[in-house]
Amino acid sequence: MDKIAVLIPCYNESKTIEKVVTDFKKALPEATIYVFDNNSSDGTDEIARKAGAVVKYEYQQGKGNVIRRMFREIDAECYVMTDGDDTYPAESAREMVDCVLNHHADMVVGDRLSSTYFEENKRPFHNFGNSIVRSSINSLFHTNIKDIMTGYRAFSYQFVKTFPVLSQGFEIETEMSIHAADKNMFVENVIIEYRDRPEGSESKLNTYSDGFKVLRTIASLFRTYKPMAFFGVIALILAVLGVGFMIPVLVEFNHTGLVERFPTLIVCCFVILAAMVSFFAGLQLQTITRKNRQDFEMELQHVHYEYEHLEK
């Protein structure tokens, strides 16, 4: 098992990968640098290999698929994940590693948003999207993660081996953040100096399609991790609509003794019934979610035992 493993997912980063590998070898000389190539066509893998990295391959396209492969194949006491585009400073890696190895953090977030991100990043919709995602997740999951979508993170062995990778693309960082918040993982924030991509290096992130995927992922994970809140809101909305439209019908019946709008009455009854179904569905799923959390804690015990065995 490696003491420290630096994991770099790459897709066509030939202009920057050599510098990234060299910088991290200098910052963490005891670390093993892994570059996971994701079908690059510009020779990224050969450049990384010549720079001294261990090159592995993931042929299923998408950052989430690459991270799944990384977490399955590599065993280490501490993992540092960064991008191959030279936007994250290797000099911050030592502080992040110390948080994992000495402070027992499960995930360390390289916080771009508290430093230079909004000045360096020239894409205004990315800035706006990052702020919206951060506010949404911190509000919905009652956490204080400073940068939800950063690709610069450090992890403990326990986090990596218990994190179920479901996303295939760039929404993977959002999934990591929500998983850590829901499972009461110890998260620390380390402020880093972000720099924009060098000239000639192009981002693989599509502002609109990937942004929509991230928002959809937040909604999906909120439903999964907070079912009572999710279905409770739906139940409340349906109940308000059903009762609101039924009140005039009941007032009319009280005055005349007749129900002239039977269709409205019938629809209202079905809407209120749907609200009751939604409420009890949320209640049942909340019980299942609580049981899953208990099972997860037991799984952590198993992974901790496995970790100690690998150290020996």
Side-chain angles (χ1 to χ4, degrees), residues 46 87 94 118 125 139 156 197-198 205 216 227 249 257 280 282:
E46 288 302 320
T87 56
R94 179 63 64 186
F118 295 108
F125 284 109
S139 298
S156 67
R197 280 173 170 267
L205 179 65
R216 187 177 61 187
V249 177
F280 284 108

Side-chain angles (χ1 to χ4, degrees), residues 16-52:
T16 54
I17 189 59
E18 181 179 5
K19 183 176 184 301
V20 172
V21 172
T22 303
D23 287 351
F24 275 91
K25 284 175 70 69
K26 185 183 301 182
L28 298 171
E30 74 275 34
T32 304
I33 314 294
Y34 294 94
V35 169
F36 278 71
D37 185 77
N38 193 206
N39 302 312
S40 295
S41 57
D42 63 352
T44 295
D45 54 344
E46 288 302 320
I47 296 172
R49 190 175 288 111
K50 289 177 181 177

